[in-house]
Amino acid sequence: MKNSITKVSKIHLRFQISLLFLILVMLIILTFSILFAVLSVNKNISRQRAEQLFSKTGQSIILKLDSQLEKAIQFAGLMTHLQQFSAEIENNGQSHPGLPFMFEALKHNSYFYSVYAGFENGDFIQLINTLGSPLIINAHSAPDETAFILRAINSSEGNRTEYWTFFDSSYRTLGSAINNSPDYFPSERPWYISADQNRGEVILTEPYVYNSLKQPGITAASSVSGLSVAGIDITLSGLNTFLDSMFISPGTGIIVLTGENRVLASSRQMSEKLGISGTELSKTDPIQHERNQMLWENPWTTPGGQNYRLVITAPASDFLQHQYIIQRQIILISIIIFVLFLPAIIVSSKYLSRFLENLADDAEKIQNLVFDEKDEEHSFIIEFDKLAEAFRVMKKAIAAKTKALQDAKTKLERIINLGIAMTVEEDTDKLIEMILTGAKEISHADGGSLYLKGDKDELDFRIVFNDSLGFIQGGTSKNRITMPPVCLYDEDGTPNFHNVVSCAFHKGKTIVIEDAYKDPDFDFSGTRKFDELNNYRSKSFITVPLKLEGSEILGALQLINCMPDKTGGIVPFNSEIRSFVEALSALAAVILYNRSLMESQEALFEALIRLIASAIDTKSPYTGGHCERVPVLATMLADAAEKAETGSLGNFRFQSQEDRKAFIIGAWLHDAGKMTTPEFVVDKAVKLETIYNRIHEIRTRFEILLRDELLKQKEALLAGRNPEAATAELEAAVARLHDDFNFIASCNTGENPVAEECEKRITELSRITWTSHFDHTIGLSREEAEKTETPFVMGKTIEEPLIADKPAHIIADRGKTKALYESYGFALPKPSYLYNRGEIHNLMIWKGTLTDEERFKVNEHIMQTIVMLDQLPFPKGLHKIPEYVGTHHETLSGKGYPRGLDASKLSIPSRIMAIADIFEALTAADRPYKNAYKLSKAIAILHELAVSRHIDSDLFELFLTSGIYRKYAEQYLPPEMIDEVDINKYLGQ
């Protein structure tokens, strides 16, 4: 040490001062480098937080727009299947059958501007929701209190007339207007053209300016039929307001662009910056990243297939201004210290060098986020001592902030992971338990409870936790909730603000209480009783409403006793905890709402399916219950097949619950195409039956021939002929006529096959004529009149055949089904006509009562089912429904219909469906064309079908060995139809 001092003392003063000055400069540079590093770290953190804010805000905006478009697409798709929107428009449109649906759609979807349907002939009906907007009301010259505007254009009386009707919120008419020269033609609008070109799909238009409102918007449209298109409009003005509400910083601008850089919506700041108007779809140049600007953008594809891009920009100074202020202050302080204390610094250079080196070491550690504890150092210079103290304070502050950021990161990761887990969780009780458990973890709460609004005006406990007491009720536990629900209203009907949970629900705000026993605003008498019974002390509370965007509240989340250090000390829930709990509650509310919405949609979907099946059964009194019984039988056999452990069924299992649901839905819809099959074909019990039994017409002709014979006898007697001979001829003629009619009547029943001699006799009878005196060309339909070839002459009789095949009996097929069916690969041959109602043609049906045309019409139901279901946008889990439905008439031998598939292309569920359909039909007692078979006879027929590879033999044996055949029979067959079945003679063959 002495040697070192000696060396320093030998240095010239000038050199020493220069050296000290050099050291001082180096120390200053080092100090500024350290300060720059610290500021850089803070700057990066600020940028990261800004990007997180941009991302969170951007996702909220995208979800907002996607939600609106998704609902519009769903409603447009639903309207596609509603026959009301194919109905003609009459007068002012108030009697249109689709109007109630329009009112309900606008009532429950405030962001819909209008719902409408346009027709190819220029007719148009539109219902507009004013939303109380003066802009919309003034645009249509409506009364001030107008809530809905009905616009109808029709040409029912030869002239196109446009009717405007104005309603208030209670659907009362406020006024009306008429335009006798409307220039609006829906078939010329882009939405109509696009939907007509894409039949079977819901299209989403590019944004455009509405004809009636002169404001931009988007249309979801779908072709209802070949003559009409239904659509739903969404205005974009609400999205501009929503963007303005998403505050990030004073200079932040937000804009939504189309793929062609047209402005879909923008915040006020961005509109002012780009000089664009909110009433037109302005086109702007691509937004570039500028110096000193922060830019975030995210392209995405909407549910309707449109490509949009969200861009958020903000000046960097909005997030870094405080960094610049700190930087300037530190530089100014450093300069002042340098000027004032330069002599003292030179004298104390060695001491200060060591002192500053220590600070530099600490700064480097801080830069590396190392915050180890060490002995405090002090300087004899007050400013440097303060600097050291400030450095220590900064170190502690950065350490605390780093720890807080780490804790916040951990909590955010927990919320994100919890949100992901909650999104995929299907069990509602488990989902509720996950929400409360996650909230307790991030808030360090000792207990808590979650409430959901029930059907009544009450908040029901769904789960209650308390770690200290080891207490749990509800959720996935088996402990039933014993606590009474919280009433939302007092007995006089006023809102209940005495209870903290109901108060938070009504106000939609978070309530934080430091000590429940000292709080004067709420009634905690129930809490005190609970504490007394369990030797517990409920102190700090936080109650957060489960609130959705738009102020809808599903329930509330309450947490009790914050214990962050796990020592038992109870502290209030601070603002940081409150923010995280509110974020989790908002996420939970969205997930719970979506889950409830999905369950409601699934329930509606299944109810509609059952409604369709019920309508099919109700359509014909002879098939009632078929569509209801087949799913029961198919499900019973599918359950048994899944339990099989050996043979060809040993590996069969439904891949998921969605796959099982698709099978059950397919069973309900397996005959959906019968909606298109005429009732008189399905119920045709005799050969001459159409809408009525035409045997009565033929009997009337025999009556005419009989009266002719009677007249002939009278004339012979008057002419002096032998009475006995005349009577004998009459009796022979009458006997012949009765015999001929009895023959035709027996052929009509179809009980026996038509032999060759019967065909000859029918041909001979067709040559018998009767005399017609009345005009046969009047009172006809247009189609019948076109087929009438022989004109009528007054006073001239016409000889009509007793039975005949006439041109009027041929009904041409005017549809385009042949090309459609060929595109689906249907192998079933299609007849040349839609119907052949010729009397001879029908009487010569070899077996049964159906012609080839009618049999095709009956079989066509499966093809219609496939075509109908192919138009539906089934979700991924239900995409096998058309397969299960469309194959239940196929056979393992490849001789079935409509595609002639063989065993290699028929899945186990498809084979199950075939057996269920056949067995139900064999045992049904409500068919006009056959009698029900007893149980043993039905089983014997099934066995024959299994041997001929019409049905699956393994499934047939399982059907027997599992006892399903008898279980079903005992449930649905009358006792007299259930006899003993020896299943052993059918097994192993």
Side-chain angles (χ1 to χ4, degrees):
M1 186 67 182
K2 290 180 180 180
N3 294 335
S4 177
I5 294 174
T6 303
K7 290 180 180 179
V8 173
S9 63
K10 291 180 180 181
I11 298 175
H12 291 287
L13 180 61
R14 182 177 59 186
F15 181 77
Q16 185 179 11
I17 293 173
S18 299
L19 182 62
L20 291 173
F21 184 81
L22 180 61
I23 294 172
L24 178 62
V25 172
M26 292 178 65
L27 289 174
I28 291 174
I29 294 173
L30 179 61
T31 302
F32 276 93
S33 298
I34 295 171
L35 292 173
F36 177 80
V38 173
L39 290 172
S40 295
V41 171
N42 289 336
K43 185 176 181 180
N44 289 335
I45 293 175
S46 297
R47 284 185 176 275
Q48 290 174 2
R49 292 185 63 188
E51 291 177 358
Q52 291 173 356
L53 283 174
F54 288 171
S55 178
K56 180 179 179 181
T57 304
Q59 292 304 319
S60 298
I61 295 169
I62 291 172
L63 288 174
K64 171 78 173 181
L65 185 56
D66 281 356
S67 174
Q68 293 185 4
L69 297 179
E70 182 75 24
K71 186 60 74 67
I73 290 172
Q74 291 176 354
F75 269 83
L78 178 59
M79 292 168 66
T80 303
H81 304 287
L82 298 179
Q83 292 299 322
Q84 296 94 315
F85 293 96
S86 298
E88 295 181 355
I89 302 171
E90 299 178 357
N91 299 325
N92 60 6
Q94 295 189 38
S95 63
H96 194 271
L99 193 58
F101 177 90
M102 294 180 171
F103 274 113
E104 286 299 310
L106 295 182
K107 177 180 178 183
H108 295 290
N109 298 277
S110 60
Y111 46 81
F112 286 178
Y113 165 64
S114 71
V115 182
Y116 50 84
F119 294 78
E120 187 178 24
N121 64 355
D123 288 2
F124 182 69
I125 184 167
Q126 179 183 29
L127 184 64
I128 301 171
N129 189 355
T130 69
L131 301 174
S133 169
L135 177 65
I136 299 176
I137 293 174
N138 294 336
H140 299 289
S141 302
D144 293 338
E145 297 179 359
T146 299
F148 300 98
I149 301 174
L150 176 62
R151 179 187 186 187
I153 301 176
N154 69 71
S155 51
S156 58
E157 297 180 3
N159 298 319
R160 293 187 81 242
T161 306
E162 183 179 42
Y163 299 88
W164 294 84
T165 309
F166 309 103
F167 303 93
D168 62 11
S169 58
S170 300
Y171 311 119
R172 292 191 296 268
T173 303
L174 299 178
S176 61
I178 299 177
N179 179 11
N180 292 321
S181 301
D183 59 356
Y184 182 85
F185 291 88
S187 59
E188 299 176 358
R189 299 297 293 170
W191 53 266
Y192 187 104
I193 296 171
S194 180
D196 192 55
Q197 292 173 349
N198 296 272
R199 292 184 182 178
E201 298 179 6
V202 180
I203 61 98
L204 193 67
T205 67
E206 291 285 343
Y208 67 100
V209 177
Y210 292 154
N211 174 272
S212 60
L213 186 59
K214 309 305 179 186
Q215 290 287 322
I218 301 172
T219 294
S222 178
S223 176
V224 176
S225 66
L227 300 177
S228 64
V229 171
I232 295 177
D233 285 343
I234 302 175
T235 59
L236 301 179
S237 58
L239 185 55
N240 291 332
T241 304
F242 175 69
L243 295 183
D244 283 334
S245 68
M246 305 302 287
F247 179 81
I248 299 177
S249 72
T252 298
I254 307 174
I255 189 168
V256 181
L257 301 171
T258 67
E260 300 176 353
N261 276 336
R262 292 194 178 275
V263 178
L264 193 63
S266 65
S267 64
R268 178 178 53 79
Q269 292 91 337
M270 186 64 80
S271 298
E272 293 174 355
K273 178 180 178 181
L274 300 179
I276 58 178
S277 170
T279 60
E280 60 184 13
L281 296 169
S282 306
K283 188 170 184 179
T284 183
D285 295 330
I287 299 176
Q288 304 294 332
H289 192 285
E290 301 177 4
R291 183 180 177 85
N292 297 326
Q293 284 280 331
M294 302 184 74
L295 174 67
W296 180 91
E297 63 179 291
N298 183 34
W300 88 98
T301 301
T302 68
Q306 301 293 338
N307 294 319
Y308 294 158
R309 185 160 50 94
L310 176 64
V311 181
I312 303 177
T313 65
S317 58
D318 281 3
F319 301 93
L320 303 176
Q321 187 65 33
H322 63 288
Q323 303 291 336
Y324 300 144
I325 295 173
I326 294 173
Q327 185 176 3
R328 289 194 296 270
Q329 290 176 347
I330 292 176
I331 293 173
L332 181 61
I333 293 172
S334 300
I335 294 173
I336 293 173
I337 292 173
F338 176 79
V339 172
L340 295 178
F341 296 95
L342 180 60
I345 292 172
I346 295 174
V347 173
S348 308
S349 60
K350 292 184 180 180
Y351 171 76
L352 295 178
S353 296
R354 181 183 60 81
F355 187 82
L356 292 176
E357 286 174 1
N358 292 337
L359 290 180
D361 290 340
D362 276 352
E364 186 176 357
K365 291 179 179 179
I366 291 173
Q367 185 177 0
N368 295 323
L369 301 179
V370 177
F371 306 103
D372 56 343
E373 296 293 335
K374 59 183 294 186
D375 295 337
E376 296 182 1
E377 291 191 63
H378 297 277
S379 172
F380 60 85
I381 301 175
I382 297 175
E383 287 77 8
F384 273 89
D385 193 60
K386 289 183 177 179
L387 178 62
E389 179 62 27
F391 208 83
R392 287 191 294 273
V393 172
M394 182 181 68
K395 176 181 177 180
K396 292 180 180 179
I398 294 177
K401 192 64 177 177
T402 301
K403 184 178 184 303
L405 288 174
Q406 186 62 40
D407 291 343
K409 178 184 177 184
T410 302
K411 290 179 180 178
L412 285 174
E413 289 177 349
R414 173 60 176 151
I415 291 177
I416 292 172
N417 293 333
L418 189 61
I420 295 172
M422 290 191 298
T423 301
V424 300
E425 180 54 54
E426 297 182 357
D427 188 336
T428 303
D429 289 335
K430 191 172 182 180
L431 173 61
I432 290 171
E433 188 170 307
M434 291 170 65
I435 295 170
L436 183 57
T437 302
K440 285 173 67 276
E441 288 179 5
I442 64 175
S443 65
H444 309 293
D446 185 44
S449 53
L450 189 145
Y451 309 77
L452 291 179
K453 187 178 184 301
D455 296 333
K456 301 178 181 178
D457 290 329
E458 296 176 336
L459 290 174
D460 298 327
F461 280 92
R462 294 301 300 271
I463 187 172
V464 182
F465 260 128
N466 191 285
D467 293 340
S468 297
L469 299 176
F471 179 85
I472 179 173
Q473 288 185 356
T476 59
S477 72
K478 297 181 180 180
N479 301 325
R480 185 176 60 87
I481 291 179
T482 59
M483 298 181 181
V486 176
C487 295
L488 289 173
Y489 298 93
D490 295 332
E491 293 182 357
D492 58 0
T494 58
N496 178 11
F497 291 111
H498 305 295
N499 186 286
V500 64
V501 178
S502 58
C503 182
F505 179 90
H506 285 301
K507 293 185 176 181
K509 296 181 179 179
T510 300
I511 299 175
V512 180
I513 298 173
E514 295 185 4
D515 192 336
Y517 285 16
K518 297 179 181 179
D519 187 85
D521 299 324
F522 300 105
D523 180 12
F524 283 100
S525 57
T527 302
R528 289 175 178 269
K529 291 180 181 179
F530 178 86
D531 291 352
E532 291 174 2
L533 292 173
N534 296 279
N535 192 25
Y536 189 71
R537 174 65 161 91
S538 300
K539 189 175 182 181
S540 58
F541 281 71
I542 181 171
T543 307
V544 184
L546 297 174
K547 185 178 179 180
L548 292 169
E549 183 180 346
S551 299
E552 184 176 354
I553 300 176
L554 306 180
L557 173 67
Q558 187 176 76
L559 302 171
I560 303 174
N561 289 355
C562 180
M563 298 179 179
D565 54 4
K566 299 182 180 180
T567 61
I570 301 173
V571 300
F573 293 92
N574 59 37
S575 58
E576 182 180 359
I577 290 177
R578 171 178 176 171
S579 299
F580 284 112
V581 174
E582 287 178 338
L584 177 59
S585 298
L587 177 62
V590 171
I591 292 174
L592 286 171
Y593 176 77
N594 289 341
R595 177 59 47 77
S596 175
L597 186 61
M598 289 177 62
E599 291 174 353
S600 299
Q601 289 177 339
E602 288 180 0
L604 175 60
F605 179 60
E606 293 179 4
L608 286 173
I609 289 170
R610 285 174 169 78
L611 180 64
I612 292 172
S614 176
I616 296 169
D617 283 344
T618 306
K619 177 182 177 183
S620 170
Y622 303 115
T623 60
H626 174 72
C627 291
E628 180 181 349
R629 293 191 290 264
V630 168
V632 175
L633 188 56
T635 303
M636 292 167 64
L637 187 53
D639 291 342
E642 280 197 299
K643 296 176 182 178
E645 298 180 354
T646 59
S648 62
L649 303 176
N651 295 325
F652 167 68
R653 300 292 184 273
F654 285 109
Q655 297 178 359
S656 64
Q657 284 299 113
E658 290 297 316
D659 197 11
R660 169 180 284 273
K661 183 184 293 185
F663 174 75
I664 296 174
I665 292 173
W668 280 96
L669 291 176
H670 79 283
D671 275 346
K674 284 186 177 178
M675 290 188 294
T676 65
T677 307
E679 185 178 343
F680 69 86
V681 174
V682 176
D683 300 344
K684 188 178 181 184
V686 293
K687 296 180 180 180
L688 291 174
E689 184 175 353
T690 53
I691 297 177
Y692 67 99
N693 188 354
R694 293 179 292 161
I695 191 67
H696 304 300
E697 291 186 11
I698 295 175
R699 187 180 66 249
T700 301
R701 298 169 197 165
F702 272 95
E703 294 284 357
I704 293 173
L705 292 176
L706 178 60
R707 282 160 178 72
D708 287 346
E709 293 295 333
L710 290 173
L711 291 174
K712 187 186 298 182
Q713 183 212 27
K714 299 300 182 184
E715 291 173 353
L717 292 175
L718 290 174
R721 199 171 165 200
N722 186 335
E724 293 181 357
T727 301
E729 289 183 5
L730 174 63
E731 290 176 350
V734 170
R736 185 182 67 254
L737 289 173
H738 278 286
D739 183 61
D740 289 343
F741 178 74
N742 290 340
F743 168 73
I744 292 177
S746 66
C747 291
N748 188 39
T749 61
E751 295 178 353
N752 300 309
V754 176
E756 183 177 351
E757 57 271 17
C758 293
E759 294 181 357
K760 292 180 180 179
R761 186 173 179 182
I762 291 173
T763 303
E764 292 174 357
L765 291 176
S766 68
R767 298 190 183 100
I768 299 175
T769 61
W770 60 280
T771 304
S772 172
H773 298 79
F774 291 89
D775 191 343
H776 61 278
T777 65
I778 59 176
L780 307 180
S781 67
R782 178 178 57 82
E783 187 174 12
E784 287 179 306
E786 291 175 352
K787 296 177 181 179
T788 301
E789 299 176 352
T790 305
F792 175 77
V793 179
M794 181 62 71
K796 186 177 180 181
T797 60
I798 299 176
E799 294 299 318
E800 295 275 4
L802 181 63
I803 52 176
D805 289 345
K806 298 182 179 181
H809 290 146
I810 302 298
I811 310 298
D813 187 356
R814 298 180 179 178
K816 302 177 181 179
T817 55
K818 184 175 182 180
L820 175 65
Y821 289 168
E822 288 178 352
S823 68
Y824 277 88
F826 296 151
L828 199 63
K830 189 176 187 306
S832 301
Y833 309 116
L834 180 62
Y835 297 111
N836 185 341
R837 295 174 179 168
E839 296 166 344
I840 299 173
H841 179 75
N842 277 263
L843 288 172
M844 286 190 177
I845 295 172
W846 180 74
K847 188 177 182 180
T849 62
L850 299 179
T851 64
D852 291 341
E853 294 81 8
E854 290 165 339
R855 189 166 300 280
F856 175 83
K857 201 65 181 175
V858 171
N859 293 339
E860 187 186 24
H861 81 273
I862 188 61
M863 294 183 279
Q864 284 292 329
T865 301
I866 294 172
V867 173
M868 290 163 58
L869 296 182
D870 188 57
Q871 311 305 314
L872 299 180
F874 287 111
K876 183 177 180 181
L878 304 180
H879 65 282
K880 291 186 178 180
I881 289 178
E883 174 199 339
Y884 297 155
V885 172
T887 54
H888 71 276
H889 284 302
E890 302 285 356
T891 67
L892 275 65
S893 62
K895 297 180 180 179
Y897 64 92
R899 292 190 173 102
L901 304 178
D902 59 18
S904 64
K905 298 177 182 178
L906 296 176
S907 63
I908 298 298
S910 298
R911 303 179 187 193
I912 291 173
M913 199 83 74
I915 292 178
D917 185 64
I918 294 171
F919 186 73
E920 193 286 330
L922 290 174
T923 55
D926 49 14
R927 304 295 193 271
Y929 45 80
K930 73 170 189 65
N931 296 320
Y933 294 115
K934 287 191 174 182
L935 185 58
S936 59
K937 177 63 174 178
I939 295 297
I941 294 174
L942 275 185
H943 175 254
E944 294 174 1
L945 295 176
V947 171
S948 62
R949 290 181 54 77
H950 190 100
I951 63 174
D952 188 287
S953 58
D954 290 339
L955 281 171
F956 170 66
E957 290 194 5
L958 178 64
F959 184 65
L960 298 179
T961 57
S962 63
I964 292 174
Y965 75 97
R966 181 161 292 277
K967 181 179 179 182
Y968 173 83
E970 291 173 350
Q971 185 174 355
Y972 291 103
L973 271 60
E976 63 272 14
M977 302 303 292
I978 304 175
D979 55 358
E980 290 299 323
V981 179
D982 182 9
I983 67 173
N984 292 321
K985 65 181 181 180
Y986 301 121
L987 301 179
Q989 297 185 12

